[in-house]
Structure formats: structure tokens, C-alpha cells
């Protein structure tokens, strides 16, 4: 069954320079959800309402019924309509008066495809217009949660940064036609705040299987061993989260009798022997794999020492398989007869009951800065090649700790990790 996500509010490109602290962080994330197609409003051009498609499945398609009205006082000699979709969607065959641009991901914006169509004809005031043939959008195999943005402008709204060389459509050119049967849109209508642009959340009837993998460690007292835990999206869908929300967080709990001497760069300590780890980006690609590398010093032999890797309590209505949401980290200390039992697999004895997520009381912190994990479409994502080299000094002397203070950790991570991001800056695509 399809999983419905709440609507997300579109913010303009300028929103990223207004706020500070948490406001700046939210503004930047929102830019990734619905990138602006035009720098400023187009005076007098107002889009009609666009409803999200219903019953969409991967492999299916839908038409975008665009209408607009020139509410200005004079004729316009030319207009442009732009269609932007995130990576689970694609424009079908375009007419020859349209150019397609592939735009790589940057900062908190995922990759997207922009189609900009030019209409070289007079647009009269007070008249409702529409393309004589609507643009068709296809849902790809990885479609799950996506964004469609449509804008109308009296200037060329082509993307200016990170875009590929445009490819012209091969279909017959399309003209604008008058739509006297359609109601004229008005500036400031309830359908959208930015009258020349609309963003629509497109939800496909699909799933994404988030899963974790633990580890089986062996060593002697005094030795330092390597721990590598994994988080994987087994797909088929990619996950673009709601505005300001993480896709997920991964909680890693160390076995008793160990001390962390090196921490993965995407993980923050949230309690004694417990770390919360983020992903390379706010979104999670289909077939994404992230690894989290730690160094643990074995300080003493503890009978039955066992840790865990688990997805936290972030809601995942798209993830129907809860059996692989938790896995064990076992530790066998040589010469002591101590072993933590079987572990290191996804699911099995390491999986939780119910929804499979741990009860942590919050979404926790995110460490997206520094080096470590890298993500890419359909590729692997490794982490921990740098991270913190200093010793944490947290001796995991027991197999469990108090309830994690994740609400405080989340606030701290927001202030450190994203709160200082105010102005969007271009950087190379992490692909």
C-alpha cells in the first residue's frame, strides 16, 4: 500500500541567508527538498493548482496539468515553464522547445532533472493558458518519496550551477493554448505561497528496506581490535525525508570490557559506550551502504559481553521488514573462556520484536561534517577513514547503560553540525 507523507513547504533560495542557528539549518535542508527554479518572482504570472498523483507505482507515469494566468497589465512576448524532479522521477519524451538539464547534488540538495520549456508567443493579460500537450513524468524503479516543482517565468529559468550540457527534446514543438474553461489563478491564493512556483510531494507505492549488520570480535586483554558496523538500504526505493527530518539514525553500543580509542567521523558519543551515527546525506540512495569504523581496546574479560547495532526510533513507514533492524556485536576474549555468543548478522537473534527499533526517546544527533562516509547512487558508502583520533576514554564496563539523552544530543548536533550553515555554498557532487 502507498505510504502517504505530509506536504512540505517550498522555500525560496534566499531563505538560506535569512536564518541563523536552527532556522538556518532548516532553510538549507528545505532547499534540497525543493530547489528554486527562478531567482525572483515573475510579476503577473500565477500558476494554477497542481494536485499530486494518486496510485502511482514504480514504472508508471502521470501528466502534469499546468495552467497559468498573466495577471499583469501588459502582454508578455515570451514565457518559460520549468519542471524539476528529484531522482526517483524523470521527464518522458520532451518537445523540441524544451531543454533538459541534469543537476548534480550539492550541500543539502539531492540531484535532480530540470526541463525548461520556452514558449515564444504573446501571453495576454487575464487569460488562462496551458501547454497544448502536458509534460509526462515517469516513476523510476527507485521512486518512493519524491518532489516535483513547477515554475513559470518571463525569463529563461535554466539552472545556473552544477548542470549538465542541456539536451533538446525530440518531440514536436508544443504551443500554449487558451483555457477559457479553467478558473484564473490569483496572486496570494491559498494553493501556494509563491504564485509563480508550486512544489508537489510525489509518493509512489513502494518500499525501502533499511538494515544493519553487526560484527564478531576476538582478541586478548590489552589488545586493540577493529570494529566495523554497517547500515544498508536494500531498496528498492530511495528515501527523501520530510523537511528537517533525518532518514534514520544508527545506534552502536559497544560490548562491555572495551574502551573506544578511535571514533568514526559520522558518529557522536551519546552515552557511555554508546554512539549515534548519521548517513552521508539527509536522503538515502537506493542500494546505499554506509560503514562505521571504530577501534576498541579490550580492557578486561567480561562474561557474555555483547553490544549491538540498531536503527533508532525514527518512523519508517516505508520499511516493512523489521527483522533486520538490529544486529549483535559479540566479543570473545582469548584465554578467558569468555564469549559474547553468536553475532554479526542482520536479523536472527539480534533482531528486536515489534517494529524492530530501539526505544531511545528522540532522533538524536547527526554528524555530517568531517570526513568518513561517502555516499553515491547505487554504490557503497564507507566511513571512518579519518574521524576522531583522540581517545574517548569511555570504558564500557557494563553491558547496558541508562536511557540515552538523545534529545540533548540532537540539539547539540544541530547547533554544531548544521546550525552554522546559513548561506548555501556550492561544493562538488558526492557521487
Amino acid at each position: 500500500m502507498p505510504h502517504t507523507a505530509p506536504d512540505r513547504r517550498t522555500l525560496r533560495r534566499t531563505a538560506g541567508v535569512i536564518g541563523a542557528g536552527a532556522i538556518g539549518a532548516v532553510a538549507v535542508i528545505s532547499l534540497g527538498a525543493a530547489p528554486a527554479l527562478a531567482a525572483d518572482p515573475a510579476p503577473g504570472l500565477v500558476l494554477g493548482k497542481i494536485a499530486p498523483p494518486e496510485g502511482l507505482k514504480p514504472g508508471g507515469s502521470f501528466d502534469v496539468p499546468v495552467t497559468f494566468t498573466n495577471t499583469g497589465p501588459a502582454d508578455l512576448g515570451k514565457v518559460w515553464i520549468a519542471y524539476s524532479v528529484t531522482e526517483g522521477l524523470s521527464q518522458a519524451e520532451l518537445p523540441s522547445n524544451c531543454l533538459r538539464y541534469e543537476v548534480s547534488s550539492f550541500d543539502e540538495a539531492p540531484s535532480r532533472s530540470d526541463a525548461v520549456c520556452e514558449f515564444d508567443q504573446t501571453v495576454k493579460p487575464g487569460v488562462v493558458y496551458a501547454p497544448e500537450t502536458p509534460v509526462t513524468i515517469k516513476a523510476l524503479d527507485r521512486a518512493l518519496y519524491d518532489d516535483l516543482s513547477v515554475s513559470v517565468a518571463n525569463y529563461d529559468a535554466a539552472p545556473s550551477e552544477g548542470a549538465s550540457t542541456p539536451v533538446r527534446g525530440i518531440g514536436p514543438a508544443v504551443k500554449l493554448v487558451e483555457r477559457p474553461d479553467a478558473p484564473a489563478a490569483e496572486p496570494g491564493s491559498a494553493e501556494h505561497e509563491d504564485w509563480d512556483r508550486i512544489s508537489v510531494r510525489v509518493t509512489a507505492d513502494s518500499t525501502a528496506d533499511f538494515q544493519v549488520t553487526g560484527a564478531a570480535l576476538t582478541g586478548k586483554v590489552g589488545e586493540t581490535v577493529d570494529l566495523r558496523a554497517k547500515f544498508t538500504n536494500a531498496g528498492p526505493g530511495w528515501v527523501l525525508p520530510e523537511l528537517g527530518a533525518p532518514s534514520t539514525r544508527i545506534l552502536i553500543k559497544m560490548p562491555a570490557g572495551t574502551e573506544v580509542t578511535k571514533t568514526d567521523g559520522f558518529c557522536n558519543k551519546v552515552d557511555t559506550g554508546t554512539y549515534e551515527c548519521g548517513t552521508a546525506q539527509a536522503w538515502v540512495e537506493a542500494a546505499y551502504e554506509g560503514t562505521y569504523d571504530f577501534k576498541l581496546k579490550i580492557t578486561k574479560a567480561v562474561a557474555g559481553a555483547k553490544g549491538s547495532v540498531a536503527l533508532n526510533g525514527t518512523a519508517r513507514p516505508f520499511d516493512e521488514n523489521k527483522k533486520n533492524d538490529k544486529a549483535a556485536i559479540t566479543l570473545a576474549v582469548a584465554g578467558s573462556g569468555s564469549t559474547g555468543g553468536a553475532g554479526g548478522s542482520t536479523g536472527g537473534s539480534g533482531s528486536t520484536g515489534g517494529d524492530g527499533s530501539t526505544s531511545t526517546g528522540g532522533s538524536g544527533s547527526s554528524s555530517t561534517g568531517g570526513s568518513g562516509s561517502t555516499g553515491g547512487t547505487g554504490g557503497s558508502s564507507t566511513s571512518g577513514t579519518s574521524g576522531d583520533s583522540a581517545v574517548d576514554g569511555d570504558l564500557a564496563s557494563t553491558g547496558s547503560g541508562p536511557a540515552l539523552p538523545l534529545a540533548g544530543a540532537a540539539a547539540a548536533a544541530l547547533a554544531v553540525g548544521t546550525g552554522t550553515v546559513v548561506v548555501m555554498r556550492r561544493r562538488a557532487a558526492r557521487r
Side-chain angles (χ1 to χ4, degrees), residues 57-426:
K57 297 180 180 292
S61 62
F62 63 96
D63 292 339
V64 184
V66 174
T67 62
F68 70 92
T69 308
N70 175 11
T71 62
D75 291 352
L76 295 176
K78 185 183 296 188
V79 297
W80 287 259
I81 299 177
Y83 307 79
S84 179
V85 293
T86 50
E87 60 184 76
L89 305 174
S90 176
Q91 302 95 352
E93 182 178 281
L94 293 172
S96 59
N97 57 315
C98 301
L99 295 175
R100 188 199 314 269
Y101 302 81
E102 300 303 328
V103 184
S104 58
S105 66
F106 64 96
D107 289 315
E108 295 300 328
S111 62
R112 68 183 197 268
S113 178
D114 289 3
V116 182
C117 302
E118 178 182 352
F119 298 92
D120 189 3
Q121 63 187 91
T122 301
V123 174
K124 302 174 184 178
V127 178
V128 180
Y129 291 90
E132 60 182 344
T133 302
V135 167
T136 299
I137 303 296
K138 298 187 298 183
L140 306 179
D141 290 344
R142 59 180 175 268
L144 180 55
Y145 300 139
D146 280 279
D147 282 328
L148 161 68
S149 294
V150 178
S151 73
V152 59
N154 59 353
Y155 54 86
D156 189 349
S160 59
E161 291 187 276
S164 65
T165 301
V167 176
R168 186 169 294 280
I170 59 175
V174 170
K175 299 183 300 181
L176 295 174
V177 294
E178 295 185 9
R179 289 285 306 274
D181 57 321
E186 297 180 358
S189 61
E191 288 125 17
H192 45 81
E193 183 172 308
D194 295 329
W195 53 86
D196 63 334
R197 185 193 307 106
I198 292 178
S199 182
V200 177
R201 184 71 158 171
V202 178
T203 302
D205 183 3
S206 188
T207 60
D209 183 13
F210 284 7
Q211 53 187 245
V212 294
T213 305
L217 308 177
T218 59
K220 300 178 181 179
V221 173
E223 287 184 344
T224 297
V225 295
D226 294 323
L227 165 64
R228 169 167 285 188
K230 292 183 180 181
F231 161 68
T232 303
N233 177 16
W238 81 305
V239 177
L240 179 64
E242 288 301 309
L243 173 63
S247 297
T248 192
R249 294 282 188 263
I250 297 90
L251 297 175
I252 302 178
K253 191 173 187 178
M254 306 304 172
T258 63
E259 180 182 358
V260 176
T261 60
K262 186 175 182 180
T263 304
D264 187 273
F266 274 149
C267 301
N268 290 329
K269 179 181 175 182
V270 293
D271 198 6
T272 300
T274 303
Y275 292 78
E276 186 180 60
C277 306
T279 54
Q281 299 287 2
W283 62 92
V284 178
E285 307 279 4
Y288 172 93
E289 182 177 287
T291 59
Y292 305 99
D293 294 316
F294 294 81
K295 288 188 178 295
L296 306 182
K297 182 178 181 180
I298 303 174
T299 57
K300 62 179 178 180
V302 176
K306 183 183 291 187
S308 64
V309 184
L311 302 176
N312 76 347
T314 302
R316 295 183 300 279
F318 53 83
D319 188 353
E320 298 177 348
N321 182 9
K322 306 300 183 182
K323 294 182 178 180
N324 50 28
D325 288 359
K326 187 175 182 180
I329 300 172
T330 62
L331 173 63
V333 181
S336 67
S338 172
T339 179
S345 62
T346 60
S349 61
S351 56
T352 63
D355 64 0
S357 61
T358 60
S359 177
T360 60
S363 63
S365 58
S366 166
S367 176
T368 58
S371 58
S373 299
T374 57
T377 303
S380 64
S381 172
T382 61
S383 60
T385 55
S386 58
D388 297 336
S389 59
V391 175
D392 281 332
D394 60 332
L395 177 62
S397 58
T398 63
S400 64
L404 306 183
L406 296 188
L414 182 61
V416 175
T418 59
T420 56
V421 181
V422 177
V423 180
M424 284 192 65
R425 59 184 177 80
R426 178 81 194 168

